[in-house]
Amino acid sequence: MFRFEEPTYLYLLLLLPFLAAFYLYSNYRRKKSIRKFGDPELLAQLMPDVSKHRPDIKFLLIFICIGLFSVLLARPQFGSKLETVKRKGVEIMIALDISNSMLAEDVQPSRLEKAKQLVSRLVDELDNDKVGMIVFAGDAFTQLPITSDYISAKMFLESINPSLITKQGTAIGAALNLAVRSFTPQEGVGRAIIIITDGENHEGNITEAVKSAVGKGIRVHVLGIGSADGSPIPAEGTNDFRRDRQGNVIITRLNETMCREIAKEGNGVYVHVDNTNTAQKVINQEINKMAKADVKTKVYTDFDEQFQAIAWIILLFLLAEMLILERKNPLFKNFRLFSNK
């Protein structure tokens, strides 16, 4: 397992493009100034000791050293041992609706983006818990198996968009059944499913799926996102909205009644997601109420520092930069003259 103990220092790598641009601009200005004195080829013959490529090589070595130094400050480490540890926590499966109706913008910046922001903040609040993600539209599939790796959870979250599922619809029942099967077999752990949806165009078998979850001691919470008044769905790549076969603009509305029924049957809570952080606070309170048990997690321990190798490479590059002269070495020139006699 590889990681950086101080990853913030990697932002120093952002300086490298500016440094390269400054060097190229300086070379351009220097060549422009030389042209004012005469033909560059003629001037090169008058200055035989000036090397054309050595300054570039010296800059490249310094450039690499600065990049490596940023990595060194970030303290790269390798985990040498994988251990199973027990931590007090709960298990949460998030089922996120990614149907086209989630592109509506009655919640800013859009229903889907607002939902992703909410999930991201929810993951930030987790501590020793496990989380997994399911995406659904006309079908459902696992985007992230249940894990305690929050970094991976947020990374997978960023890649979610409606194009992941071509079949349109809102198969909440299929998402619930998949979520129920996604929990670990460990006993005594508090479990919950959080459905984030606008509830439109739902498929059947929802009641049976909810009962199956409750029968296994799993609470089902629903976050309804959107407005009852409805909103058109932007057509991607255009300034228009999606239309039906008759050419009428499609208006998508939050099915709040159905969302409330699912939450009630699932012994959970229903929360309406708007442009505030109210939904975030309510769902965090519900998670904190859940019974926490010992959650077994595999983690890497005994991380070994790897900066020594990078430090040696930097030292060697700096020595090479010092030994390379910008001008051609006169010793080599005299050696060539001696050899020609």
Side-chain angles (χ1 to χ4, degrees), residues 159-335:
S159 63
I160 291 177
N161 62 75
S163 66
L164 293 177
I165 300 179
T166 56
K167 183 181 178 181
Q168 283 302 299
T170 308
I172 297 178
L176 277 170
N177 288 328
L178 181 57
V180 169
R181 298 193 301 269
S182 300
F183 291 103
T184 68
Q186 187 176 347
E187 297 181 357
V189 181
R191 296 184 173 92
I193 299 172
I194 301 175
I195 302 173
I196 306 177
T197 182
D198 54 22
E200 266 211 335
N201 191 31
H202 61 279
E203 311 293 332
N205 302 323
I206 297 180
T207 302
E208 292 81 358
V210 175
K211 289 181 178 179
S212 175
V214 173
K216 292 179 171 60
I218 303 170
R219 289 180 176 271
V220 180
H221 306 296
V222 182
L223 302 182
I225 189 164
S227 64
D229 295 333
S231 174
I233 306 171
E236 292 181 294
T238 69
N239 293 322
D240 199 5
F241 299 104
R242 292 179 180 268
R243 299 175 180 271
D244 58 22
R245 294 179 179 179
Q246 288 72 40
N248 300 315
V249 174
I250 300 173
I251 301 298
T252 171
R253 295 178 174 83
L254 168 64
N255 189 342
E256 200 163 27
T257 301
M258 187 201 69
C259 291
R260 290 183 183 277
E261 290 176 356
I262 294 174
K264 183 178 179 180
E265 294 177 4
N267 294 331
V269 297
Y270 166 75
V271 188
H272 177 227
V273 179
D274 52 23
N275 290 312
T276 68
N277 293 325
T278 302
Q280 179 73 46
K281 295 177 181 178
V282 172
I283 204 66
N284 283 341
Q285 290 173 357
E286 292 300 317
I287 292 174
N288 291 333
K289 292 177 183 177
M290 295 170 61
K292 295 182 180 290
D294 287 333
V295 178
K296 294 180 180 179
T297 306
K298 290 185 179 294
V299 298
Y300 280 92
T301 59
D302 296 339
F303 280 89
D304 297 324
E305 299 281 355
Q306 304 296 320
F307 69 89
Q308 299 92 336
I310 298 176
W312 277 109
I313 295 173
I314 293 174
L315 179 60
L316 291 174
F317 278 14
L318 288 176
L319 287 174
E321 193 277 338
M322 292 172 60
L323 293 174
I324 297 175
L325 302 177
E326 290 196 6
R327 294 179 176 272
K328 296 177 181 178
N329 197 322
L331 294 177
F332 293 138
K333 178 182 178 182
N334 295 334
F335 177 78

Side-chain angles (χ1 to χ4, degrees), residues 2 22 46-47 129 132 143 155 168 173-174 197 211 248 255 281:
F2 180 80
F22 177 76
L46 297 175
M47 299 181 293
D129 305 307
Q143 175 75 356
M155 181 182 68
Q168 283 302 299
T197 182
K211 289 181 178 179
N248 300 315
N255 189 342
K281 295 177 181 178

Side-chain angles (χ1 to χ4, degrees), residues 94-106:
I94 298 171
L96 178 58
D97 186 350
I98 61 168
S99 58
N100 287 331
S101 60
M102 291 290 285
L103 296 174
E105 298 175 350
D106 47 0

